[in-house]
Amino acid sequence: MFLAVLVSVLAVVALVGIGLFVFGLRRRLIQRSGGTFDCSLRWDVPDDPDSAGLPPGKGWVYGVARYSGDRIMWFRVFSYAPRPRRVLERAAIEVVGRRTPEGEEELALLSDAVVLGCVHQGTRLELAMSEDALTGFLAWLEAAPPGQRVNVA
């Protein structure tokens, strides 16, 4: 009986260890090619924050974004999926505002985060990233090839 319990506990510990190892390995593979930054995402944000929709501070998902040519690939941190959850095309991103986290958002986001309001292909979203990552993101948007429309607030 004791041996069966011990084997079961060791199996659970091994599975948890393997799961954590795979999380770390996945993140290393995402960051391997460089051009990554920590970026929280809130998708399909209502235009009017007081309207029925996402409560203040809710809906944020922590992730890692990676530059890939004219796209940004956004991966959830707590996922085993090898593919990005969202792909943002540079030509389709319109920056509509910038603000600091408010209320409960301060707890949901990293401490130095800046929130950037955007519209991507008609969907309103918010990206939260550090000031340094924001500078790089805006530079990437402005570095669009000639003739490509870019709107940076």
Side-chain angles (χ1 to χ4, degrees), residues 90-91 93-96 138 141 148-153:
R90 177 172 21 203
I93 298 173
E94 179 181 346
V95 176
V96 295
L138 294 175
L141 278 178
Q148 185 174 340
R149 182 188 70 76
V150 175
N151 177 15
V152 177

Side-chain angles (χ1 to χ4, degrees), residues 60 97-101 105 109 113-117 126-129:
W60 287 104
R98 174 182 175 169
R99 63 182 178 82
T100 57
E105 284 180 327
L109 301 174
V114 176
V115 178
L116 192 66
E126 290 181 326
L127 301 169
M129 60 190 86

Side-chain angles (χ1 to χ4, degrees), residues 4 22 26 35 44 51 54 59 75 97:
V22 171
R26 177 180 170 269
D44 204 13
S51 69
L54 293 173
F75 300 83

Side-chain angles (χ1 to χ4, degrees), residues 19-40 62-66 74-82 110:
L20 292 174
F21 174 78
V22 171
F23 268 137
L25 179 63
R26 177 180 170 269
R27 183 164 178 142
R28 294 291 271 180
L29 291 174
I30 291 168
Q31 293 178 324
R32 172 181 59 175
S33 61
T36 61
F37 58 97
D38 291 333
C39 178
S40 295
Y62 184 62
V64 175
R66 180 176 69 200
W74 184 84
F75 300 83
R76 291 178 70 129
V77 166
F78 300 109
S79 171
Y80 291 110
L110 295 175

Side-chain angles (χ1 to χ4, degrees), residues 1-11:
M1 177 71 172
F2 175 74
L3 186 59
V5 170
L6 181 64
V7 169
S8 296
V9 169
L10 289 176

Side-chain angles (χ1 to χ4, degrees), residues 91-136:
I93 298 173
E94 179 181 346
V95 176
V96 295
R98 174 182 175 169
R99 63 182 178 82
T100 57
E102 303 166 348
E104 293 180 30
E105 284 180 327
E106 293 177 14
L107 301 173
L109 301 174
L110 295 175
S111 62
D112 63 343
V114 176
V115 178
L116 192 66
C118 300
V119 175
H120 182 262
Q121 298 177 345
T123 301
R124 188 160 160 69
L125 63 111
E126 290 181 326
L127 301 169
M129 60 190 86
S130 70
E131 191 72 47
D132 290 342
L134 176 64
T135 301

